Amino acid sequence: MTSGNGRSLLELIDGADERGLAAAGLACLDRCLPLLAPDRADALRPVWAAVARGDGGAWGEAVAKARVELDVEGTEDAEAVRRMLTEAPAAWTAEALRVWAGDCSVAALALHGRYDAAGVPDGLVERCRAGDAGGAGPLLAGELRRQQAVLETAAHGPTGLRRARELSVEGGRVLRAVVSRRARTA
């Protein structure tokens, strides 16, 4: 599944600027946040504000504060989300943000795949990122679409970042509902 413009997720990440990369990684983290701290949905709001301003100094400060606020114990999935936040670079550079956005992409896709009924066969996450979503369950496919949309819209300034944030809120609700339903049936 490639994006509407025919580019794979890997190509979109490779072509993104600092703001797009920061938004992409942050959006992945934000969508997965219910696995770490379901009661702290607004903990990343200052980080989003720093991305909107393109302010590297504010970015580093906001990420550091979010790390403190979200330092909670949790499950293996919660630890994967915490790693996304822990590994967020303090430096606002394309190189550092590209590595982080890529790592967040993989982690978010893998986490969503774990909650799909069919699970994730070896290599599926990387195939999805390269443009082949064959065999992806609905959660994994939805996360892939959201990641692509965030990268495509983040380049369009404040309006695009607002859309990226909306996609993250929507994705977080979806994941929260799936986790809640699974907990009730377990």
Side-chain angles (χ1 to χ4, degrees), residues 133-177:
L139 281 176
L140 178 56
E143 174 61 12
L144 179 62
R145 283 190 302 274
R146 285 184 193 91
Q147 287 188 26
Q148 290 169 323
V150 165
L151 282 158
E152 290 169 342
T153 62
H156 300 291
T159 303
L161 286 173
R162 195 170 19 262
R163 178 67 182 137
R165 179 87 163 104
E166 290 168 1
L167 287 164
S168 293
V169 169
E170 169 197 334
R173 282 190 203 123
V174 169
L175 186 57
R176 188 177 302 113

Side-chain angles (χ1 to χ4, degrees), residues 10-173:
L10 293 173
E11 292 167 326
L12 290 168
I13 290 171
D14 284 345
D17 65 4
E18 289 90 345
R19 185 175 295 179
L21 293 165
L26 182 56
C28 289
L29 172 60
D30 204 3
R31 284 189 299 277
C32 294
L33 194 60
L35 297 173
L36 174 63
D39 58 338
R40 298 185 188 170
D42 289 336
L44 299 175
R45 188 176 300 259
V47 187
W48 278 108
V51 172
R53 290 190 307 270
D55 184 341
W59 161 265
E61 288 178 26
V63 167
K65 287 179 184 174
R67 285 183 186 128
V68 171
E69 186 174 341
L70 296 171
D71 188 19
V72 296
E73 296 298 317
T75 64
E76 180 182 333
D77 289 346
E79 289 306 311
V81 178
R82 183 190 334 281
R83 269 191 308 280
M84 283 189 228
L85 180 57
T86 302
E87 294 172 1
W92 182 266
T93 65
E95 182 179 317
L97 290 166
R98 188 167 283 107
V99 169
W100 180 65
D103 291 347
C104 288
S105 169
V106 170
L109 290 167
L111 284 167
H112 281 76
R114 282 189 212 160
Y115 288 92
D116 265 331
V120 179
D122 287 344
L124 181 57
V125 166
E126 284 307 317
R127 282 198 332 269
C128 286
R129 294 180 78 229
D132 174 12
L139 281 176
L140 178 56
E143 174 61 12
L144 179 62
R145 283 190 302 274
R146 285 184 193 91
Q147 287 188 26
Q148 290 169 323
V150 165
L151 282 158
E152 290 169 342
T153 62
H156 300 291
T159 303
L161 286 173
R162 195 170 19 262
R163 178 67 182 137
R165 179 87 163 104
E166 290 168 1
L167 287 164
S168 293
V169 169
E170 169 197 334
R173 282 190 203 123

